[in-house]
Amino acid sequence: MIALGIFLVVLAIYLLKIDFFQRCMRFRKIIDFSFKLPGPPITELTRKAHKEKVLPWLLECRQKYGSRFLIWFGKDLIFFLTHPEDIKFVLSSQEIITKSGNYKVIKPWLGEGLLTSTGTKWQKNRKLLTPAFHFNILKQFQTVMDDCSEILIKKFSAVANEEPVDIYPYITLYALDVICETAMGIKKNAQENSESEYVRAVKKICEITHRRSFSMILRIPFFWNLSSYRKVQDDTLKILHDETRRVIQLRRKALENLNINTSEILNEASSMLGMKKRLAFLDMLLIAQREGKDLTDEHIREEVDTFMFEGHDTTSSAIAFTIYLLSHHPEEQEIAYQEVKDYEGRELETMKYLEAVIKESLRLYPSVPFYSRMITQEKITMGDLEIPSGVTLSVQPYILHRDPEIFPKPDVFNPERFLNAENMHPYAYVPFSAGPRNCIGQKFAMLEMKKTLAKVLHHFEFLPADEKPILLAELILKSNNGVRVRLKKRN
């Protein structure tokens, strides 16, 4: 017995040594690769690590080192890609689909949902969820957006005195109302009750996630577990997860006596639960579960929470920055306003100029300023480069969209670019990513942005305020000093 114990200990040590040796060999390959391309020293990163300085610094790196450059972020080597062909190579790949380690910070909230999962689980999730974003489903959401935007108009009216106002908090609460009702089928009334426990929990988990994502210390599990943020996160997640699970049970009971299936929903956009023909994202998942799909309640919870996260902060950022840009460009605002008047009541039709305004805003202020993939294969070959396992590939929409060779006068707001964009490289503009892991909810996002902007343009003129946004390079692009405009009621 003693001999067996000694043997097991020796074997464990031997296996640990093998694993340690293999890790060292992989890291050695990463170090060797780091000498193949230029990039700034780690000391420069330390000086520029403040979030409001990161984006201007990365633009400087692009100008200094070219379209490919490397930066060590702690022990992680980040390979920055800013050329359309390189971005096409990454985003169009069926193999490079594993998200980088940055996304681990949101797993406590989202689990293995569509945003964070990979491999066969991601492929199964994507196939399962695609019908939930069918146009017949999306059409039902416009009623929710209309109802929520009426409250937004009321809130804006109260501050429409031509004095500077930070519009971001108003739009964030509006977007949270929309996503709660479309994702879970419940009203949270965030705009009227911004201090409710659930609303405060959503805001708190977003703040904690952003803070940890950009802290070299808090990204290390040992220090994170010792920090006060860990306890706050656990308490916040309990509120969020308990509420999602509670709603799952309520919606399941409401669906038990309904004889309805997925095909009927897609063909007829049938009315459900007496909610003015509104179908929640959660209902689609519950119906799929009832039809025998491999879905546990926890899986459903992860996907609903993922939709809550992805569909809340991103659209808030896009709508706020679009209003800011229009406030500083009265001619473009007037063209958009006249189009909105012409299409009143027909917002689902193509409002080409307003769409161009939104696209140009997302070019200058992409809601997700960068996203990353991890090399998990032994190596991949990209042109003349062999990239070893463990390297993070970082796609940079914020930098890509400011390439003067693709977008002449890139700092100028010019919606006309997207009225005649037939010859644009398909990977030169990627605010919703592209390829197999593109944003599954981009049609939902565009619908919400169009509906919201059409509504507020109809009621208000946007005037410029003196304060420029101080951009924060977080998971979602935000402004450190808010997004300030002056609102004037239209006659």
Side-chain angles (χ1 to χ4, degrees), residues 266-282:
L266 294 180
N267 291 333
E268 303 172 13
S270 308
S271 68
M272 290 188 63
L273 310 176
M275 294 188 68
K276 301 179 182 178
K277 299 186 178 181
R278 296 175 191 169
L279 180 72
F281 176 68
L282 169 57

Side-chain angles (χ1 to χ4, degrees), residues 117-181:
S117 58
T118 191
T120 55
K121 182 169 185 177
W122 169 78
Q123 292 170 344
K124 184 184 74 172
N125 291 354
R126 180 79 183 207
K127 184 177 180 181
L128 173 69
L129 296 174
T130 295
F133 295 91
H134 189 281
F135 185 69
N136 283 348
I137 300 298
L138 296 183
K139 281 195 300 185
Q140 299 177 83
F141 293 154
Q142 65 176 330
T143 308
V144 175
M145 295 167 190
D146 281 337
D147 292 345
C148 294
S149 63
E150 287 295 334
I151 301 174
L152 179 63
I153 297 303
K154 183 179 73 174
K155 296 294 183 180
F156 273 180
S157 295
V159 293
N161 54 12
E162 299 187 41
E163 293 294 324
V165 59
D166 181 9
I167 60 172
Y168 198 86
Y170 296 94
I171 294 170
T172 300
L173 294 173
Y174 158 76
L176 185 55
D177 270 345
V178 171
I179 208 67
C180 280
E181 198 161 345

Side-chain angles (χ1 to χ4, degrees), residues 447-459:
L447 174 62
E448 182 176 355
M449 287 186 281
K450 279 177 59 180
K451 292 285 292 183
T452 309
L453 289 165
K455 197 85 168 182
V456 293
L457 268 170
H458 189 79
H459 286 82

Side-chain angles (χ1 to χ4, degrees), residues 115 121 270 333 375:
L115 179 64
K121 182 169 185 177
S270 308
Q333 182 180 167
I375 301 299

Side-chain angles (χ1 to χ4, degrees), residues 259-393:
N259 184 22
I260 190 168
N261 60 43
T262 308
S263 61
E264 288 175 341
I265 292 168
L266 294 180
N267 291 333
E268 303 172 13
S270 308
S271 68
M272 290 188 63
L273 310 176
M275 294 188 68
K276 301 179 182 178
K277 299 186 178 181
R278 296 175 191 169
L279 180 72
F281 176 68
L282 169 57
D283 297 328
M284 286 289 293
L285 295 175
L286 288 171
I287 292 167
Q289 184 188 53
R290 191 175 67 183
E291 291 179 350
K293 301 294 184 182
D294 184 18
L295 275 172
T296 65
D297 279 6
E298 193 61 12
H299 183 189
I300 291 173
R301 196 275 304 161
E302 291 172 346
E303 296 300 354
V304 171
D305 284 344
T306 295
F307 192 35
M308 289 287 297
F309 169 72
E310 289 196 276
H312 164 226
D313 262 4
T314 51
T315 50
S316 299
S317 172
I319 293 168
F321 283 122
T322 302
I323 291 175
Y324 167 78
L325 286 167
L326 287 174
S327 74
H328 285 266
H329 297 87
E331 292 183 10
E332 288 78 2
Q333 182 180 167
E334 181 62 23
I335 297 172
Y337 169 63
Q338 293 299 329
E339 184 181 61
V340 165
K341 284 176 57 179
D342 292 342
Y343 278 83
E344 185 177 6
R346 298 181 291 128
E347 288 86 357
L348 276 179
E349 298 180 31
T350 300
M351 290 187 282
K352 291 185 178 180
Y353 193 80
L354 185 58
E355 284 193 4
V357 165
I358 294 170
K359 289 178 179 178
E360 177 69 345
S361 176
L362 287 171
R363 180 186 71 81
L364 287 165
Y365 298 109
S367 298
V368 183
F370 39 72
Y371 33 87
S372 307
R373 306 282 173 84
M374 175 70 75
I375 301 299
T376 56
Q377 302 87 340
E378 182 179 347
K379 64 180 179 180
I380 62 167
T381 302
M382 186 172 74
D384 57 345
L385 278 179
E386 284 192 351
I387 309 171
S389 177
V391 172
T392 295
L393 304 178

Side-chain angles (χ1 to χ4, degrees), residues 387-425:
I387 309 171
S389 177
V391 172
T392 295
L393 304 178
S394 183
V395 174
Q396 297 285 309
Y398 184 86
I399 300 175
L400 170 70
H401 294 171
R402 282 169 166 74
D403 187 338
E405 293 185 6
I406 303 171
F407 301 102
K409 298 181 179 179
D411 294 326
V412 174
F413 177 70
N414 178 17
E416 299 283 338
R417 301 179 201 272
F418 292 96
L419 295 178
N420 301 289
E422 294 84 0
N423 297 324
M424 186 185 298
H425 191 292

